[in-house]
């Protein structure tokens, strides 16, 4: 087995560092921004007194008061519509949509309103909103608690779409998103909340407390939007992944012994094309992995970009490993979820083995 | 034995169609002055009847009667008459400009001028309106420069919005005029969010949301009422019931027996139905609702009963779906004529002065249009640079968009 190396994504800082899981890191980011900027308000279904169904906003209402962190009616349209109005006023709302599967009633307010407000008013009104929402499968959530709707947002001009894969990035990207003056869809892979899930559902998960990327500096720091990270350096093939699939890809590389370079995209839009191009030109091969359905998924966009930028460096066709084009199933979850076995097969195929 | 009869679907129809005699017998018009004016801290339950009645101040002879007579002087009313007249003449000019090919589309607010003009005159600097698209009176009532409106309508070289938006989709933050979307109903919920922000920040500013009778069918209307009743933010929720949503009469959205004001009572929001063609009533009820909001007493829902006297837009021909002379039979009359009659009855106005004012405004509007034309019209003369298309998508242009702009060579 060749040396596969997980690259640290941050340098040791002078700051105090705490061990945090992803939920704690997200809560920490909200806490930092709410303390720093009283224009930051947090609201959504069950986020106030209770602190959210995943506990991301726990304690924020007690600390910052009911007008800064509060429960909203079960109306995703209303939650995002209110956020657009608040943004126009001058606030920096951070609404939560309880599951990404439930974001569609708000789609008009996101795609037609928040995304275009700057454009249609020449920047006179803006929507500096960060919409946090848990995404992806792996929790037996069935059709309504497992979907990955990122392509619905990357397709809309005016939005930014962000998806972290670890606690360090989650905090830094969330702070950067809240400070960004454009609307950001902040997708939180819910299967990663507790640990870096590698796709083997029948094995115990290493908790973030035992993982290097569970080291989260206290206080304020950012991870810039639009910059990918190299999650694993390698020379044989480039795997483009984000969210949970970053860890599945690393696992597949380790298990097959194929020296894959795993790029964690972190921001889907704007996309870090430079890092992608550099890696694929180095390896000459590319695999795209995501949980979402295949047809018209974000992977199609990634393939098109790699083809445009690296066609003459490619030694094999690009392969996509994705969810199947079905609704997300319940009992068949682990045959739907693109696990390390399927990614491993693709790695061997792209290597001509 | 099965004695069940086949079911049938009920599809509401308006009282008259082209060729019919216009019929507004379904709209009952009470005497002016009969509806009481409640205290602003009244409970919603105590004024339920006001959602089913109709607040009117001016009687048929132009006299102001009843509790709702607003405390305003003659100069204020003359200003109201002037801005309504200016709005109408501006509309007529822009309608003609569209026919002459200077822009792609225009929408008049003929017959509804009192609502936007009077409410704007009741609001304060810093308050924010979230208009639908037929509230140009909100700008004109503040003496907003007409040439700037026309620059936007013509998408010319001085269009502040760089040619990116449809005509009349203004955005004027300093004049409390939120960017028009054109997606129906969305702004109603946003107005509530803006008002929530004002309350969160301990500000004193009030929001005013606008929606049409047809668009109340959108979920945004329901959401806005839910959020408004839950958080009680300082917002005035205006439903402009002008009877028609393009070709669809208001009965398709309301259910024929209901009205729009009464919907507020299910949410415990004080709700009032008002003669929208009565400038004095519009001002008085707007002021009442704005004062309530400013005193932290929460939202008010107002249904303005009016009539869309012109086509939906320049692309519409209403004679295809309603009697051509329906406007003349509208029982609440014309808002400009009614305020004029009131001022004449008061002895502060006459036909000669009115004619002179009309002439003067026509000249002002013509001059503004000519000036705007010198800066270009849609696709002719000076136009915004093509590169404007790529601006303001994001605060900073991301690399992929910069590449696309370069690809187009602009």
């Amino acid at each position: 087995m060749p040396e596969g190396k997980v690259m640290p994504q941050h340098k040791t800082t002078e700051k105090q560092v705490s061990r945090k899981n992803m939920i704690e890191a997200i809560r920490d980011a909200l806490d930092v921004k709410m303390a720093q900027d009283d224009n930051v308000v947090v609201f959504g279904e069950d986020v106030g007194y209770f602190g959210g169904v995943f506990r991301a906003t726990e304690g924020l209402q007690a600390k910052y008061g009911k007008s800064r962190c509060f429960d909203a009616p079960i109306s995703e349209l209303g939650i995002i519509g209110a956020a657009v109005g608040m943004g126009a006023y001058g606030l920096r709302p951070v609404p939560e949509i309880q599951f990404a599967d439930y974001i569609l009633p708000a789609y008009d307010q996101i795609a037609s309103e928040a995304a275009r407000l700057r454009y249609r008013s020449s920047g006179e009104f803006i929507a500096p909103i960060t919409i946090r929402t848990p995404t992806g499968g792996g929790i037996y959530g069935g059709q309504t608690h497992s979907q990955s709707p990122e392509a619905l947002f990357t397709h809309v001009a005016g939005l930014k779409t962000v998806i972290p894969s670890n606690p360090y990035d989650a905090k830094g990207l969330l702070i950067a998103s809240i400070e960004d003056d454009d609307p950001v869809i902040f997708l939180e892979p819910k299967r990663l909340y507790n640990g870096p899930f590698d796709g083997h559902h029948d094995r115990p998960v290493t908790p973030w407390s035992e993982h290097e990327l569970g080291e989260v500096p206290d206080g304020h720091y950012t991870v810039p939007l639009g910059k990918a990270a190299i999650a694993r350096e390698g020379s044989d093939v480039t795997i483009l992944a984000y969210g949970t699939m970053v860890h599945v890809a690393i696992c597949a590389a380790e298990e097959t012994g194929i020296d894959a370079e795993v790029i964690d995209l972190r921001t889907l839009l704007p996309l870090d094309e430079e890092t992608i191009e550099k890696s694929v030109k180095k390896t000459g091969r590319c695999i795209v992995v995501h949980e979402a359905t295949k047809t018209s998924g974000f992977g199609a966009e990634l393939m098109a970009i790699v083809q445009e930028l690296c066609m003459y460096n490619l030694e094999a066709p690009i392969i996509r490993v994705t969810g199947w084009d079905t609704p997300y199933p319940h009992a068949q979850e682990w045959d739907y979820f693109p696990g390390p076995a399927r990614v491993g097969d693709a790695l061997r195929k792209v290597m001509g083995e | 034995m099965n004695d069940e009869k086949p079911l049938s679907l009920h599809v509401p129809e308006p009282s008259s169609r082209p060729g019919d005699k216009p019929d507004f017998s379904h709209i009952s018009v009470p005497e002016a002055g009969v509806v009481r004016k409640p205290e602003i801290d009244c409970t919603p339950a105590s004024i339920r009847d006001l959602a089913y009645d109709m607040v009117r101040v001016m009687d048929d002879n132009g006299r102001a009667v009843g509790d709702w007579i607003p405390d305003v002087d003659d100069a204020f009313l003359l200003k109201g008459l002037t801005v309504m007249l200016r709005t109408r003449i501006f509309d007529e000019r822009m309608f003609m400009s569209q026919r002459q090919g200077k822009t792609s589309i225009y929408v008049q607010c003929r017959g509804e001028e009192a609502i936007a003009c009077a409410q704007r005159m009741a609001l304060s600097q810093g308050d924010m309106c979230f208009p639908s698209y037929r509230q140009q009176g909100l700008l004109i009532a503040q003496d907003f420069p007409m040439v700037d409106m026309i620059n936007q309508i013509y998408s010319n070289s001085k269009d502040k919005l760089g040619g990116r938006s449809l005509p009349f989709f203004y955005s004027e933050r300093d004049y409390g005029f939120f960017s028009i979307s054109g997606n129906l109903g969305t702004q109603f919920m946003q107005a509530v969010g803006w008002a929530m922000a004002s309350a969160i920040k301990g500000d004193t500013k009030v929001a005013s949301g606008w929606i049409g009778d047809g668009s109340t069918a959108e979920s945004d209307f329901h959401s806005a009422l839910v959020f408004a009743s839950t958080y009680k933010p300082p917002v005035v929720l205006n439903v402009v019931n002008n009877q028609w949503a393009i070709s669809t009469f208001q009965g398709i959205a309301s259910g024929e027996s209901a009205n729009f004001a009464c919907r507020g009572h299910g949410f415990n929001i004080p709700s009032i139905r008002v003669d929208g063609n009565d400038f004095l009533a519009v001002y008085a009820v707007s002021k009442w609702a704005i004062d309530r909001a400013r005193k932290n007493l929460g939202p008010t829902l107002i249904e303005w009963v009016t009539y869309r006297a012109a086509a939906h837009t320049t692309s519409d021909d209403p004679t295809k779906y309603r009697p051509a002379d329906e406007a003349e039979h509208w029982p609440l009359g014309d808002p400009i004529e009614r305020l004029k009659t009131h001022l004449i009855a008061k002895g502060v106005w006459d036909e000669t002065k009115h004619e002179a004012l009309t002439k003067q405004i026509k000249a002002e509007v013509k001059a503004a249009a000519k000036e705007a034309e010198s800066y270009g019209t849609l696709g002719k003369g000076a136009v915004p640079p093509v590169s404007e298309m790529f601006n303001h998508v994001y605060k900073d242009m991301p690399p992929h968009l910069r590449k696309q702009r370069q690809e187009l060579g602009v």
Side-chain angles (χ1 to χ4, degrees):
Chain A
M1 184 188 282
E3 288 299 302
K5 197 163 129 248
V6 174
M7 300 297 289
Q9 295 174 18
H10 61 97
K11 294 192 182 99
T12 314
T13 62
E14 302 298 311
K15 284 181 180 171
Q16 196 73 31
V17 170
S18 316
R19 288 275 174 183
K20 285 188 169 64
N21 66 26
M22 209 145 138
I23 281 289
E24 290 162 340
I26 286 162
R27 188 189 306 141
D28 189 19
L30 294 170
D31 191 6
V32 165
K33 283 315 295 175
M34 289 180 87
Q36 230 175 34
D37 179 356
D38 62 12
N39 286 324
V40 175
V41 292
V42 169
F43 59 102
E45 294 156 19
D46 302 302
V47 311
Y49 184 86
F50 178 54
V53 294
F54 288 105
R55 324 301 300 139
T57 56
E58 190 178 20
L60 297 177
Q61 186 178 78
K63 189 166 176 185
Y64 297 101
K66 285 204 283 189
S67 67
R68 299 276 309 281
C69 176
F70 53 90
D71 290 329
I74 303 174
S75 168
E76 291 77 16
L77 179 170
I79 290 166
I80 304 305
V84 173
M86 290 174 182
Y89 177 93
L91 301 189
R92 274 182 195 276
V94 190
E96 175 181 304
I97 299 297
Q98 200 163 79
F99 286 89
D101 311 72
Y102 299 143
I103 208 165
L104 293 180
Y107 197 64
D108 192 32
Q109 287 284 353
I110 296 170
S112 315
E113 298 295 319
R116 288 190 216 147
L117 186 53
R118 173 187 294 282
Y119 193 71
R120 70 182 205 225
S121 71
S122 282
E124 197 168 71
F125 296 96
I126 61 171
I129 304 167
T130 301
I131 301 171
R132 290 184 41 249
T133 188
T135 191
I139 61 154
Y140 279 116
Q143 289 163 41
T144 51
H145 301 79
S146 310
Q147 293 168 89
S148 298
E150 62 272 12
L152 299 179
F153 303 106
T154 55
H155 193 56
V156 177
L159 298 178
K160 294 181 177 175
T161 302
V162 174
I163 178 165
S165 70
N166 60 70
Y168 177 87
D169 281 356
K171 180 176 173 183
L173 286 168
L174 183 53
I175 291 176
S177 299
I178 295 170
E179 291 175 353
D180 198 277
D181 281 344
D182 293 311
V184 178
I185 308 297
F186 193 86
L187 298 164
E188 301 171 1
K190 63 179 89 70
R191 193 59 177 82
L192 296 182
Y193 276 156
N194 294 318
F197 178 63
D198 65 5
H200 287 292
H201 63 284
D202 46 0
R203 297 182 197 166
V205 172
T206 316
W208 283 115
S209 58
E210 290 165 28
H211 195 282
E212 188 184 12
L213 294 171
E215 284 185 6
V216 176
D218 294 347
H220 182 279
Y221 71 93
T222 59
V223 171
L225 305 189
K227 294 277 174 232
I230 296 173
R232 182 188 189 279
E233 254 185 13
S235 55
D236 292 343
V237 47
T238 299
I239 305 181
L240 302 180
Y242 47 91
T244 307
M245 289 301 133
V246 171
H247 306 283
V248 174
I250 291 170
C251 174
E254 306 294 340
E255 288 180 356
T256 56
I258 293 168
D259 189 23
E261 179 148 290
V262 178
I263 310 260
D264 177 358
L265 296 174
R266 299 200 288 197
T267 303
L268 305 189
L269 200 120
L271 185 67
D272 184 354
E273 294 183 14
E274 211 179 305
T275 298
I276 295 172
E277 182 179 8
K278 208 170 145 194
S279 176
V280 176
K281 282 189 171 162
K282 180 178 83 176
T283 62
R285 291 178 172 87
C286 183
I287 290 177
V288 174
V289 189
H290 61 59
E291 289 180 65
T293 46
K294 184 173 189 176
T295 302
S296 301
F298 191 66
E301 185 61 40
L302 291 171
M303 286 178 82
I305 287 170
V306 170
Q307 187 277 135
E308 281 169 15
L309 297 175
C310 313
M311 171 73 187
Y312 297 106
N313 302 82
L314 288 176
E315 291 171 41
I318 309 163
I319 297 179
R320 271 182 290 178
V321 185
T322 70
W324 307 115
D325 283 347
T326 68
Y328 203 104
H330 181 233
Q332 301 87 346
E333 172 147 50
W334 300 110
D335 290 299
Y336 178 93
F337 191 91
R342 281 180 58 205
V343 178
D345 288 347
L347 279 174
R348 282 187 285 268
K349 192 172 171 194
V350 84
M351 294 306 295
E353 289 174 13
Chain B
M1 280 281 285
N2 184 355
D3 59 356
E4 287 170 3
K5 290 175 186 153
L7 298 166
S8 64
L9 183 71
H10 174 67
V11 180
E13 268 297 316
S15 54
S16 43
R17 287 294 194 187
D20 297 341
K21 191 171 170 346
D23 176 12
F24 287 115
S25 57
H26 57 285
I27 295 179
S28 96
V29 181
E31 290 288 313
V34 298
V35 178
R36 72 185 189 285
K37 182 176 182 179
E39 295 298 323
I40 58 167
D41 59 353
C42 68
T43 62
S46 69
I47 61 161
R48 289 182 72 92
D49 55 315
L50 268 64
Y52 296 88
D53 218 316
M54 194 192 290
V55 176
R56 308 181 72 225
V57 174
M58 286 187 281
D59 69 13
D60 293 345
N61 301 314
R63 285 177 314 177
V65 287
D67 295 350
W68 284 98
I69 299 176
D71 181 21
V72 291
D73 60 17
D74 294 338
F76 184 90
L77 294 178
L78 285 168
K79 165 90 182 175
L81 182 71
T82 305
V83 295
M84 284 199 291
L85 196 55
R86 188 178 292 143
T87 303
R88 180 165 299 178
I89 292 168
F90 180 86
D91 275 358
E92 286 167 354
R93 182 95 200 177
M94 289 302 101
F95 175 84
M96 201 167 76
S97 292
Q98 190 276 339
R99 289 293 187 252
Q100 293 167 343
K102 291 170 190 165
T103 187
S104 54
I105 188 169
Y106 189 70
V107 45
Q108 302 186 79
C109 65
R110 188 180 189 85
E112 304 173 29
E113 292 91 344
I115 304 166
C117 289
Q119 178 155 121
R120 185 58 248 189
M121 289 172 75
L123 288 163
S124 301
Q125 173 83 30
D127 294 341
M128 187 63 73
C129 286
F130 288 74
S132 60
Y133 49 81
R134 214 182 292 278
Q135 284 85 41
Q136 46 268 54
L138 294 172
L139 288 173
I140 291 177
Q142 298 176 87
D143 296 327
F144 183 80
M146 286 186 287
V147 67
D148 290 334
M149 294 171 79
I150 306 172
N151 287 336
Q152 197 280 326
I153 292 166
Y154 286 177
S155 291
N156 66 19
S157 58
K158 291 214 173 185
D159 171 10
K160 186 177 95 175
L161 304 183
R164 286 179 297 270
S165 282
L166 272 180
F168 63 83
F169 280 30
Y170 317 107
S171 173
E172 296 296 343
R173 179 184 265 281
D174 293 346
Y175 287 77
F177 193 100
F178 183 71
S179 154
I180 292 179
S181 163
N183 267 48
L184 299 184
T186 49
Q187 73 286 348
F188 215 57
M189 186 57 235
Q190 294 159 0
V192 174
W194 194 98
M196 287 168 70
S198 181
I200 287 168
K201 296 297 283 184
D203 201 344
T204 59
K205 305 294 192 294
V206 165
S208 163
W210 297 78
I211 200 165
D213 47 282
S215 299
T216 60
E218 293 282 8
S219 309
D220 304 69
F221 177 73
H222 179 83
S223 299
L225 294 188
V226 171
F227 277 66
S229 66
T230 300
Y231 302 109
K232 307 208 179 326
V235 64
V236 181
L237 298 164
N238 300 283
V239 178
V240 180
N241 177 4
N242 68 9
Q243 313 302 319
W244 290 97
I246 308 186
S247 73
T248 307
F249 89 115
Q250 55 84 27
I252 291 284
S254 70
E256 293 143 299
S257 59
N259 67 48
F260 297 99
C262 70
R263 302 201 160 176
H265 280 295
F267 296 87
N268 209 33
I269 294 174
S271 305
I272 308 183
R273 189 160 167 266
V274 186
D275 176 350
N277 288 13
D278 180 332
F279 183 91
L280 299 182
V282 176
Y283 178 82
V285 177
S286 293
K287 186 81 172 54
W288 188 86
I290 293 161
D291 286 350
R292 269 180 49 77
R294 196 117 38 216
K295 286 188 193 305
N296 215 26
L297 295 167
T300 306
L301 178 70
I302 309 170
E303 175 182 350
W304 306 107
V305 183
T306 185
Y307 183 79
R308 197 196 75 210
H312 167 63
T313 67
T314 46
S315 308
D316 175 42
D317 176 8
T319 65
K320 295 279 195 290
Y321 51 80
R322 66 184 191 188
D325 59 344
E326 200 182 57
E328 294 156 36
H329 294 81
W330 174 242
L332 300 177
D334 178 83
I336 296 177
E337 283 304 311
R338 286 176 66 192
L339 184 59
K340 178 185 154 195
T341 306
H342 172 67
L343 290 167
I344 291 173
K346 276 187 108 177
V348 297
W349 199 240
D350 58 42
E351 289 292 352
T352 317
K353 285 179 183 158
H354 195 80
E355 220 169 277
L357 178 65
T358 306
K359 209 173 149 189
Q360 181 206 319
I361 292 172
K362 277 186 176 164
E364 288 168 14
V365 172
K366 188 178 175 185
K370 286 281 163 209
E371 185 187 339
E373 212 173 315
S374 74
Y375 308 133
T377 57
L378 180 62
K380 290 188 196 111
V383 292
V386 174
S387 60
E388 276 288 359
M389 176 166 65
F390 294 94
N391 292 341
H392 298 295
V393 183
Y394 296 90
K395 185 181 181 192
D396 302 309
M397 195 178 292
H400 72 286
L401 213 47
R402 179 163 291 113
K403 257 203 254 180
Q404 291 173 27
R405 193 190 67 186
Q406 287 161 356
E407 189 183 329
L408 185 61
V410 295

